[in-house]
């Protein structure tokens, strides 16, 4: 099975947390690492986007957003009726799983690099597109027929929250400047990318180790959900990618994107828009379970799935 | 430069509320406020300040008793149910 | 939402003691605590907070007089001789 | 270990003044001080602590009433006109 | 007109501020970025300096410092008598415009790189020399016949304030170690320079966006000053560079240096030495107006001016 | 004599401290730099280790640990009976000198790079091994016949304290991933290593300048100890390296390792395990005196010693 050494840094961080080491990544360093990763991914996407006529991507984009919207719409009733969770919690968790994780996506990209598989570079645009609708859907699910929503505040949070803002901003700069214009920045944003990702995963391991406990309290149902939901979403992604005639690499990345759950943009947005939802539940599931599941087991499985459908379809 | 008796209201709450609460506080008539970072534990669990939106802030407002009461009442009714929140007041002498 | 008279115990001490003191404080019955970073000078010299294990922390506990006394006594007997430590209490009104 | 009544003087001011004020405070006879970072708003506008020399600090001094008065008077006459500055005192019981 | 993609990061930051995004660069990261930029510029200058006999630079240095001293001496009466500003504010703003901005200078250098124009590397030495006299002049202007100045404190702040200290320190290390000795550090200080500059500009945009408002309060006069003063200074710089027989690139850089206004060293020094001056005015003008004017419009204009005078003179 | 430009950054930092410049490296940046250095050194060691059968290293490791244990056992009686220091202080200082300094070691490695001397890469493993026993010995020396020790807490601090944890963690990741697996991380962890070391030395200079004062209070004895002890330890290291048939480079590095004194792991461990020891004494000696002595004079001397013994022995 495909193995990517960078995930060992996640293990190192998680072990530090579980063994109660005093290792800590200062908050400001964590902020800097995430600004770096978001900008770098955005720039890369923008440079790729500049190589394609945007019109061609409109149909793909629409299909992907609509398919992606299915994820929270499936997750919500599962959580609410199978899991007997409160309306707010179900909606908030559904929003987390409908939204996406940039770091999971990045681990997917490094795996493709290692496997020497090409992918449609403009897929990064969909990373930006997919982050938003799930958050809006989550709020609608929580509030439908239940009083008013401060939509202004929420939409502002969704569009100008730093994670989407930096991704989109990097995309625009990369698009405007093009590969040549960005080239002097390559040494920082592209050459160091994987090393920075390693440090980020170290921190993710540290944080995830404190979240697993929170998850344990809420029982088996949520843990199962945190493993089965991404497999379902990845399947949806594989089928969508295949329908859209993506390469194996592109199909795999779309599956990874669908399977990933947000733990940066979604928690902040939900805390403001659906404050009665318990953040320990949603972050515990997405960061404590789904994230490690995805980077260790999910990603190799999704690559296998993408290869399978292309082998069958070809 | 006579010392004036005043109240110091200290609010310990979640960092995500910063902008919202400051708007409320200024709207209720405060002439200023001070914010600093904190972490801690209470009935809403441990807040380590390590993870996005995971930290606490301390908001301090020096004002007269009526202002402090207005702020306490507003925060109590609007935010206490859903957010980690601790508020206490203390008598101080303003020395400016 | 009646204001309750309480004590606010403030502890200024070395950052290395954080985990140890929190254990003690919770064990003695506190319902919560708040921590923030600080630096300063006292009888144990300047602590700039710049170098590994070189900073101060401020630990605050809101509780009744008995709890604060228990904490003060424990810290006094266990840590005062060897560590930089300043403790003071102040009357506050809890507003939750 | 008897609790001694003391004053806690809290000074909220601009970070650029740190070294200068500490010199003054020690010169006036304080046995120690504690500093922490803050941001806030007052009559001199918003101070976000984001930009070089743009932050606030909180200086705290525990001492007797006379010391606190001396410090307040010195700061009042020397710095209040030109700098953002808020000072207040509060009765505390020293527990060391 | 010459366009340098790195300034797009300033736009991204400024837009984040104006659109009230929650994007923030932590203070400690800002500190680290500025330490990096100051050291890197200093090292580069020192390596260049080692290639020239220092004696040759003495005359150039003297001329440049004297011409540079004209800037605050012109700015002060303009502000005081045309602008009707207080003596303290006039002096403080004059000091900001007489001093220089390392980031503006760096954007100038990257433009030369893009245009493939050489420049006199030892010009970086003058960056260090120009930062100081204006601050001293500013205090004299504020205090002349007006009571005493704590000169000790001020001069200490000027010479050992971190921005001049790091520039000068880097210069000395670069000079002592030479290009070969510095070479193992190139991968950090030189290869990553432009990427770090991009991140720094992002932060500058964020901060500048909060300063424009402050400026608006103080009306049209200051805004005009913030645009016309750098053009005047740049003209002085172009003439000086041409007189000293600099290359086109060197002439342009000297113009950029003269035109740039300080927003790091000067605010800190003025807050201590002339505390009754309102810092919102001087920082609002230098950072809120002059800095963006310089990097977007000024720098291309100054390059055009440098080319013009050399075409005419040759 | 061999000269390594990177130590000039230490001078720059120390001068800033002594001249009371306002230059500061934010605490979180210091943390990030040290995490980087520890991980990078660990990874490098792990990659080297993967090239050797571990069995071969067992005997070397045992000899080195046993010889290393002599250092605190010699230092303690010297401090206690010659220096008339308290039992706790003697034990704590002995532990600092028995333990090691990663930064001193790194400066040694960069000197070897400059001198183009090879060394046994797996020596980095001994860096990890040597950090621990001295701390345990220090506590035994302080507590022998003097009441109980909280061994659980101490051993946890020793093994899971961040500095040993990151070194060991990097070692394992480097070992598991191997040179090929780590290669995409090289651009961050190896190419930038020396530049980051320069920044770290800048900070070390800043801190050391504040420690020399503390040392001055405690007189000539401790200052002499801080210079003579590393020479003694280095001699022990040279002999050990020579006995073990190390190359000149390896012998020199072992001497540097023995001569270096801890100022990160040891202070934290001693503050918890021997709190009645005065930390100003031990950190003042190790960081204020021994560290600068080692990087400026010691390291060239140890290289000379290593060459001498190999010239004599060959
Ligand atoms: N008894 C207490 N003493 C000091 N701080 C407290 C106490 N209880 C709560 N806090 C602080 O208030 C925040 C919110 O409290 P809670 O709403 O109880 O979770 C906590 O994260 C602590 O920082
Ligand atoms: N008089 C004082 N006023 C304010 N803070 C103090 C005072 N004395 C000590 N401190 C704080 O308490 C810490 C420990 O004090 P000490 O044990 O006296 O070294 C110092 O580092 C200061 O942060
Ligand atoms: N009413 C207030 N309550 C709490 N903090 C205040 C208040 N007024 C001013 N401050 C703090 O004191 C600093 C200086 O105040 P000022 O001199 O009014 O600008 C502000 O930046 C705030 O941090
Ligand atoms: Na998803
Ligand atoms: Na200028
Ligand atoms: Na040693």
């Amino acid at each position: 099975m495909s193995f990517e050494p960078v995930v060992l840094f996640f293990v190192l961080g998680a072990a530090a947390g579980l063994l109660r080491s005093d290792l800590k990544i200062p908050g400001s360093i964590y902020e800097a690492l995430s600004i770096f990763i978001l900008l770098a991914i955005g720039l890369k996407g923008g440079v790729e986007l500049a190589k394609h006529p945007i019109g061609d991507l409109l149909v793909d984009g629409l299909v992907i957003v609509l398919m992606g919207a299915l994820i929270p719409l499936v997750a919500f009733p599962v959580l609410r009726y199978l899991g007997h969770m409160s309306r707010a919690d179900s909606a908030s968790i559904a929003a987390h799983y409908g939204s996406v994780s940039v770091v999971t996506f990045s681990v997917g990209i490094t795996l493709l690099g290692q496997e020497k598989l090409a992918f449609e570079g403009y897929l990064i645009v969909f990373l930006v597109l997919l982050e938003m609708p799930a958050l809006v859907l989550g709020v609608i699910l929580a509030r439908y027929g239940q009083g008013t929503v401060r939509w202004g505040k929420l939409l502002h949070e969704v569009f100008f929250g730093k994670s989407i803002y930096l991704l989109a901003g990097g995309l625009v700069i990369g698009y405007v400047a093009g590969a040549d214009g960005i080239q002097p920045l390559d040494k920082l944003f592209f050459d160091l990318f994987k090393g920075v990702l390693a440090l980020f995963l170290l921190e993710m391991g540290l944080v995830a180790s404190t979240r697993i406990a929170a998850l344990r309290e809420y029982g088996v149902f949520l843990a199962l959900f945190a493993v089965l939901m991404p497999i379902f979403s990845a399947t949806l992604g594989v089928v969508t990618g295949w329908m859209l005639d993506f390469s194996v690499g592109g199909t795999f990345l779309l599956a990874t994107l669908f399977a990933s759950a947000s733990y940066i943009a979604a928690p902040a947005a939900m805390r403001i828009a659906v404050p009665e939802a318990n953040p320990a539940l949603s972050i515990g599931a997405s960061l404590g379970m789904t994230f490690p599941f995805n980077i260790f087991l999910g990603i190799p499985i999704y690559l296998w799935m993408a290869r399978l459908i292309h082998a069958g379809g070809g | 430069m006579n010392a004036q008796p005043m109240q110091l209201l200290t609010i310990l709450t979640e960092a995500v509320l910063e902008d919202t609460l400051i708007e409320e506080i200024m709207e209720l008539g405060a002439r200023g406020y001070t914010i600093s970072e904190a972490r801690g534990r209470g009935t809403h669990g441990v807040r380590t300040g390590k993870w996005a939106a995971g930290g606490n802030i301390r908001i301090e407002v020096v004002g007269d008793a009526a202002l402090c009461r207005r702020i306490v009442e507003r925060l109590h009714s609007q935010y206490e149910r859903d957010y980690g929140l601790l508020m206490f007041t203390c008598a101080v002498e303003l020395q400016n």
Side-chain angles (χ1 to χ4, degrees), chain A residues 68-132:
Chain A
L70 282 182
I71 297 171
L73 294 177
V74 167
F76 180 75
V78 169
L79 291 157
R80 184 101 177 88
Y81 303 110
L82 248 70
H84 305 293
M85 302 186 91
S86 77
R87 182 183 193 99
D89 281 329
S90 305
S92 164
I93 299 175
H96 281 68
Y97 280 79
S99 186
V100 294
S101 149
V102 177
V103 177
T104 310
F105 184 73
S106 302
V107 174
I109 288 183
T110 69
L111 181 65
L112 288 183
Q114 195 179 274
E115 299 275 316
K116 312 231 183 306
L117 274 175
F119 66 95
E120 288 74 9
Y122 55 80
L123 258 169
I124 299 174
V125 183
F126 305 136
L127 175 67
V128 182
L129 289 181
L130 276 174
E131 220 170 336
M132 301 173 244

Side-chain angles (χ1 to χ4, degrees), chain A residues 97-227:
Chain A
Y97 280 79
S99 186
V100 294
S101 149
V102 177
V103 177
T104 310
F105 184 73
S106 302
V107 174
I109 288 183
T110 69
L111 181 65
L112 288 183
Q114 195 179 274
E115 299 275 316
K116 312 231 183 306
L117 274 175
F119 66 95
E120 288 74 9
Y122 55 80
L123 258 169
I124 299 174
V125 183
F126 305 136
L127 175 67
V128 182
L129 289 181
L130 276 174
E131 220 170 336
M132 301 173 244
L135 303 183
V136 176
L137 273 175
V139 180
I140 295 176
L141 289 168
R143 290 283 174 271
Y144 187 67
Q146 307 251 321
T148 57
V149 180
R150 289 144 99 200
W151 280 110
K153 205 152 197 162
L154 174 75
L155 289 179
H156 187 269
E157 176 70 27
V158 166
F159 285 101
F160 298 116
K162 70 175 169 223
S163 83
I164 291 181
Y165 185 80
L166 283 171
L167 275 174
L171 207 68
V172 171
I173 292 182
Y175 185 79
V176 171
D180 286 353
I182 293 303
Q183 191 265 325
L185 308 178
D186 287 2
K187 291 234 162 90
L188 182 68
F189 286 113
F190 302 154
D191 289 2
L192 302 188
F193 186 78
K194 201 157 166 189
V196 172
L197 186 62
L199 292 175
F200 201 85
L201 285 168
L202 183 68
E203 162 73 357
M204 304 274 304
L206 275 166
V207 179
S209 69
T210 68
R211 299 295 174 177
I212 282 182
L215 189 65
R216 207 178 306 147
E217 273 175 45
Y218 298 96
V220 179
F221 172 77
L222 198 56
L224 274 178
F225 175 84
V227 166

Side-chain angles (χ1 to χ4, degrees), chain B residues 11-14 38-48 55-57 80 83-88:
Chain B
I11 304 165
L12 295 164
T13 191
E14 303 184 20
R39 46 211 154 88
R41 185 190 301 193
T43 52
H44 291 80
V46 179
R47 224 181 308 283
T48 59
N56 277 342
I57 48 171
E80 182 149 36
Y83 293 97
L85 182 66
L86 186 79
M87 297 182 283
F88 52 85

Side-chain angles (χ1 to χ4, degrees), chain A residues 274-293:
Chain A
V274 190
E276 70 274 34
N278 181 351
L281 286 179
S282 46
I283 304 180
S286 75
L287 186 59
M289 284 291 292
T290 302
F291 179 76
F293 169 76

Side-chain angles (χ1 to χ4, degrees), chain A residues 5 8 20 49 51 58 81 90 105 133 135 142 169-170 183 234 262 311:
Chain A
L8 293 173
R20 313 190 105 246
L49 195 60
K51 300 179 187 162
L58 281 182
Y81 303 110
S90 305
F105 184 73
L135 303 183
Q183 191 265 325
S262 171

Side-chain angles (χ1 to χ4, degrees), chain A residues 41-52 56-57 60-61 63-65 100-102 105-106 108-109 112 117-131 167 171 237-238 240-242 244-258 306 310:
Chain A
I41 286 276
L43 288 169
K44 203 181 198 102
V47 167
E48 293 294 333
L49 195 60
K51 300 179 187 162
H52 295 84
D56 292 11
L57 307 182
D60 285 14
V63 172
I64 287 174
V65 167
V100 294
S101 149
V102 177
F105 184 73
S106 302
I109 288 183
L112 288 183
L117 274 175
F119 66 95
E120 288 74 9
Y122 55 80
L123 258 169
I124 299 174
V125 183
F126 305 136
L127 175 67
V128 182
L129 289 181
L130 276 174
E131 220 170 336
L167 275 174
L171 207 68
V238 165
T240 309
W242 180 73
L244 294 174
D245 254 337
F246 283 2
S247 66
V248 172
T251 306
F252 157 72
L253 268 190
L254 192 64
T256 303
L257 212 47
F258 274 28
H310 279 267

